[in-house]
């Protein structure tokens, strides 16, 4: 081959590779831009995702593992998918972390912890100052039995090895699953809380080395409850931020039986002494973390540094009633915004409160509007003049219904489509009505109105995160939260305020356009 030929070939290759690189960049940009593709919530590039798993912070990275079907957009072949982030918002997709063992078992939900001092003996580090590694404990779900398995990673979660001594916990039960492991400082031991799903029982185990687990106790509510308990969690939180007044919260995800129907997240407040959870929530009081229809299978982060000290969780934004039928095609299932948890003492008891993590402010791309002390018609006019609309918005509002029976927002409005977020003053309720929110007919359980009781409705604070196919609403400093998926037409991006005869007052209103975490 002569030189000029080589040059032409070389140039051809260069042109071809420039073309390929730009086509790839275009495709990458196109990806995560489909209709309904959440712009600031995590979704996998393709295929089915359900529960968040193994949330852990380690060496500057937040890890999100998740229930994943690598082969299709419906539930099956469950494995652990993986993404990492430095702020819990901007995620980088990584290869599959733990694949199913075909013909033997699938990899169901579970948790991950940092084994700081190599208690497991599985950490390979030769650095005496930092002998740590990551340990995951998940359910190996076989056809007839579910057992807890351990896997370890010595390369910051990039690759995982199943422990040869698996299972590490086995009750010879078909529905023993979803282990959540945490370090119990006062007895210097690891605790695992898992469920016997059909018996609606939380079971506790403890361990010194993460490999040998001993059954230590259980918790159930009795009664003639139906359905399953799934994905438990157990953590301690300060009441009203007072470190001298701490309570334990036992989370059980409930399938079905949630306030909006289908699956949802229930909790109990009490104390925990290493083996027994003592429930202090009075019998007959059912406490729920979210009143929308799409918040389930929560998992809280392990190993957030003590100087940060936050308890942060993520939930899967779907519902088992229709998770396999949601109208997205390439992927199905999304994760909620990470939320910081707290406990607040109210006259009627101690309650879980949630707020979006402070990092979420970094999603704000542009302020579209800011007003205070105006009437509803004035606010409407200002919104109209500023041409406030969009598929990805953050809204902070304080509304006083005064003489209005009902006051609120019409979100994702266009033609006959709207998602209504309203306050009904007299019965002190907040609701989301998604019956006309766009595509609703893919499942009979999807359309509906989801409501929750507020302690007061005279001055209602709303913090709303609107993404291309979801709405998350934190009401009155997170004492009530509603999370709902919606599937509006792409052009339905209007937003309005409403009230009866324009009554009521907008005490304050700020609206931001949020940017995309993918582009
Ligand atoms: C909850 C759940 C878990 C189980 C996983 C299987 O959504 O049913 O109990 O581990 O999903 O994908």
């Amino acid at each position: 081959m002569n030189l000029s030929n080589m040059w032409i070939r070389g140039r051809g290759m260069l042109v071809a590779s420039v073309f390929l690189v730009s086509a790839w960049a275009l495709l990458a940009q196109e990806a995560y831009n489909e209709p309904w593709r959440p712009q600031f919530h995590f979704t996998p590039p393709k295929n089915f995702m359900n529960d968040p798993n193994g949330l852990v912070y380690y060496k500057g990275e937040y890890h999100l593992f998740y229930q994943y079907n690598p082969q299709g957009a419906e539930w099956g072949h469950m494995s652990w998918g993986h993404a990492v982030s430095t702020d819990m918002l901007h995620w980088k997709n990584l290869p599959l972390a733990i694949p199913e063992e075909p013909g033997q078992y699938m990899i169901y939900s579970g948790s991950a912890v940092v084994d700081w001092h190599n208690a497991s003996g599985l950490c390979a580090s030769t650095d005496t100052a930092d002998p740590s590694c990551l340990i995951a404990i998940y359910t190996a779900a076989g056809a007839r039995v579910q057992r807890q398995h351990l896997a370890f990673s010595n390369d910051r979660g990039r690759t995982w090895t199943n422990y040869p001594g698996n299972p590490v916990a086995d009750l010879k039960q078909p529905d023993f699953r979803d282990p959540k492991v945490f370090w119990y400082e006062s007895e210097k031991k690891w605790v695992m809380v898992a469920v016997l799903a059909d018996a609606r029982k939380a079971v506790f185990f403890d361990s010194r080395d993460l490999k040998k687990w001993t059954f230590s106790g259980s918790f159930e509510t009795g009664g003639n409850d139906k359905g399953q308990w799934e994905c438990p969690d157990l953590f301690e939180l300060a009441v009203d931020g007072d470190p001298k007044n701490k309570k334990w919260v036992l989370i059980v995800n409930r399938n079905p039986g949630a306030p909006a129907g289908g699956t949802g997240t229930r909790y109990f407040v009490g104390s925990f002494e290493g083996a027994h959870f003592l429930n202090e929530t009075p019998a007959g009081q059912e406490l729920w973390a979210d009143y929308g229809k799409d918040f389930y299978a929560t998992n809280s982060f392990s190993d957030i540094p003590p100087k940060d000290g936050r308890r942060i969780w993520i939930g899967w934004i779907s519902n088992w009633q229709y998770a396999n039928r949601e109208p997205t095609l390439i992927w199905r299932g999304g994760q909620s915004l990470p939320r910081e948890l707290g406990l607040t003492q109210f006259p009627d008891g101690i309650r879980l409160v949630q707020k979006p993590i402070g990092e979420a402010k970094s999603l704000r791309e542009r302020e579209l509007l800011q007003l205070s002390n105006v009437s509803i018609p004035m606010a409407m006019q200002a919104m109209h003049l500023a041409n406030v609309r969009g598929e990805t918005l953050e809204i902070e509002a304080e509304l006083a219904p005064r003489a209005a029976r009902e006051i609120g927002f019409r979100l994702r409005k266009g033609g006959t489509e709207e998602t209504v977020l309203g306050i009904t003053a007299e019965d002190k309720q907040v609701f989301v009505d998604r019956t006309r929110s766009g595509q609703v007919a893919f499942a009979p359980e999807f359309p509906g109105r989801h409501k929750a009781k507020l302690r007061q409705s005279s001055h209602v604070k709303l913090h709303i995160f609107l993404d291309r196919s979801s709405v998350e609403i934190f009401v009155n400093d997170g004492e009530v939260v509603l999370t709902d998926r919606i599937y509006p037409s792409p052009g339905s991006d209007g937003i309005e305020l409403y009230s009866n005869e324009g009554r009521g007052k907008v005490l304050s209103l700020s609206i931001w356009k949020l940017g995309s975490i993918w582009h």
Side-chain angles (χ1 to χ4, degrees), residues 22-33:
S22 29
W24 181 84
L26 254 175
L27 271 178
Q29 248 176 39
E30 270 312 299
Y32 284 104
N33 204 18

Side-chain angles (χ1 to χ4, degrees), residues 410-412 414 416-420 433-440 447-448 488:
R410 298 200 173 97
L411 305 166
R412 297 303 305 266
T416 55
E417 290 179 10
E418 60 183 17
T419 299
V420 186
D433 188 337
R434 66 176 180 188
T435 48
R436 292 178 307 283
S437 57
Q439 275 217 29
V440 296

Side-chain angles (χ1 to χ4, degrees), residues 464-483:
I464 306 164
F465 286 85
L466 195 60
D467 203 341
R468 281 201 187 153
S469 57
S470 66
V471 55
E472 275 166 294
I473 302 153
F474 300 82
V475 191
N476 288 346
D477 301 308
E479 75 171 61
V480 163
V481 186
L482 296 117
T483 306

Side-chain angles (χ1 to χ4, degrees), residues 50-51 67 75 78 108-109 177-178 230-231 296-297 320:
N50 53 296
D51 318 355
Q67 285 290 282
W75 187 89
M78 295 327 281
Y108 271 19
S109 285
R177 63 175 178 265
D178 304 344
E230 298 185 311
C231 301
Y296 192 59
W320 277 124

Side-chain angles (χ1 to χ4, degrees), residues 449-465:
R449 183 175 158 123
H450 313 139
K451 55 183 200 288
K453 189 97 184 152
L454 298 172
R455 289 186 177 76
Q456 59 82 16
S457 64
S458 52
H459 175 162
V460 180
K461 290 197 212 171
L462 300 170
H463 196 175
I464 306 164
F465 286 85

Side-chain angles (χ1 to χ4, degrees), residues 76 287 299 308 330 336 378 442 501:
L287 307 180
N299 195 283
D308 175 328
I330 299 172
S336 73
M378 290 269 288
F442 59 89
E501 287 121 41

